[in-house]
Amino acid sequence: IAGITQAPTSQILAAGRRMTLRCTQDMRHNAMYWYRQDLGLGLRLIHYSNTAGTTGKGEVPDGYSVSRANTDDFPLTLASAVPSQTSVYFCASSGGVGSYNEQFFGPGTRLTVL
Amino acid sequence: GENVEQHPSTLSVQEGDSAVIKCTYSDSASNYFPWYKQELGKRPQLIIDIRSNVGEKKDQRIAVTLNKTAKHFSLHITETQPEDSAVYFCAAPNAGGTSYGKLTFGQGTILTVHP
């Protein structure tokens, strides 16, 4: 693995189903983030994690949950998907807590909820 | 939290012209302002950033200026080329200018450079 990866690349999901989007980085970054990108709304933060074992809510957390069991992985779960969660989801990571560093983005997951 | 406004939402220029995108922010404690470029179907990538201890930063054809008094910062692209066509996002910290690295992004500007 080089950098930050996401899986799946795309997914079509029936409303009401549970879905986990995966994100893995090999840069040993402390901080990780999940964004959703919708046309005209830019990138909106869903959840973040400053370091392994801690998570926090972003701007649009409702309907989503995350966990950070280790440094490398930061999965995003939709417990019961709804059509308004149709979006492109980007995971990102950055070097450290307490300083501003470049955020590196994954390639994204395009999710369609029908 | 931080509020970031970005203008214009779309910008069309002829190759060789300059392009300017402006962002305003609300938190006077913010001290880091990155710009990201996102090509169609790809991930956002950092192209330049500025910290509040300087007023301007340049990297070849791109530059960013910062006015902390007015709480705005701008991206300047000179001698535009078709490959500059993309969506550009500004961002500012949303944690009161301290810690954690969270960013609030602007709504994006679709830049089209016509050959």
Side-chain angles (χ1 to χ4, degrees), chain A residues 12-20 78-82 85 113-114:
Chain A
I12 299 174
L13 189 66
R17 297 295 296 270
R18 180 183 180 90
M19 176 73 191
T20 295
L78 290 68
S80 179
V82 296
Q85 292 178 310
V113 182
L114 302 176

Side-chain angles (χ1 to χ4, degrees), chain A residues 8 12-13 18 37 43 53 63 68-70 84 93 100 109:
Chain A
I12 299 174
L13 189 66
R18 180 183 180 90
Q37 184 174 34
L43 293 154
R68 188 87 183 278
N70 57 60
S84 61
S93 69
Y100 292 109
T109 294

Side-chain angles (χ1 to χ4, degrees), chain B residues 2 4 7 9-10 14-15 19 22 25 28 35 46 52 56 72-74 77 90 93 109 115:
Chain B
E2 179 70 274
V4 178
H7 299 281
S9 57
T10 61
Q14 289 298 126
E15 183 176 1
K22 182 176 176 179
Y25 61 97
S28 58
W35 284 91
L46 181 76
S52 59
E56 183 177 8
H72 67 71
F73 57 109
S74 299
I77 306 174
C90 64
T109 297

Side-chain angles (χ1 to χ4, degrees), chain B residues 6 13 17 21 23 27 31-32 43 50 56 61 67 69 93 98 101 110:
Chain B
Q6 182 173 345
V13 300
D17 289 349
I21 304 169
C23 286
D27 188 347
N31 56 9
Y32 172 69
R43 71 191 79 186
I50 190 168
E56 183 177 8
R61 296 187 297 107
N67 184 326
T69 301
T98 62
I110 302 172

Side-chain angles (χ1 to χ4, degrees), chain A residues 2-113:
Chain A
I4 184 166
T5 60
Q6 293 182 236
T9 301
S10 65
Q11 182 75 45
I12 299 174
L13 189 66
R17 297 295 296 270
R18 180 183 180 90
M19 176 73 191
T20 295
L21 308 185
R22 299 185 299 278
C23 176
T24 299
Q25 53 102 1
D26 65 355
M27 298 177 283
R28 308 305 295 172
H29 284 169
N30 285 326
M32 297 186 75
Y33 315 87
W34 273 105
Y35 295 92
R36 60 177 291 172
Q37 184 174 34
D38 304 290
L39 191 63
L41 296 176
L43 293 154
R44 293 184 292 168
L45 184 66
I46 305 171
H47 285 288
Y48 67 94
S49 170
N50 290 326
T51 189
T54 69
T55 62
K57 293 182 179 181
E59 180 185 354
V60 288
D62 294 344
Y64 306 95
S65 63
V66 292
S67 61
R68 188 87 183 278
N70 57 60
T71 297
D72 298 346
D73 301 300
F74 190 42
L76 176 74
T77 297
L78 290 68
S80 179
V82 296
S84 61
Q85 292 178 310
T86 293
S87 188
V88 179
Y89 291 85
F90 286 100
C91 179
S93 69
S94 67
V97 173
S99 65
Y100 292 109
N101 299 290
E102 176 180 355
Q103 287 195 14
F104 293 84
F105 284 81
T109 294
R110 182 174 295 276
L111 181 66
T112 302
V113 182

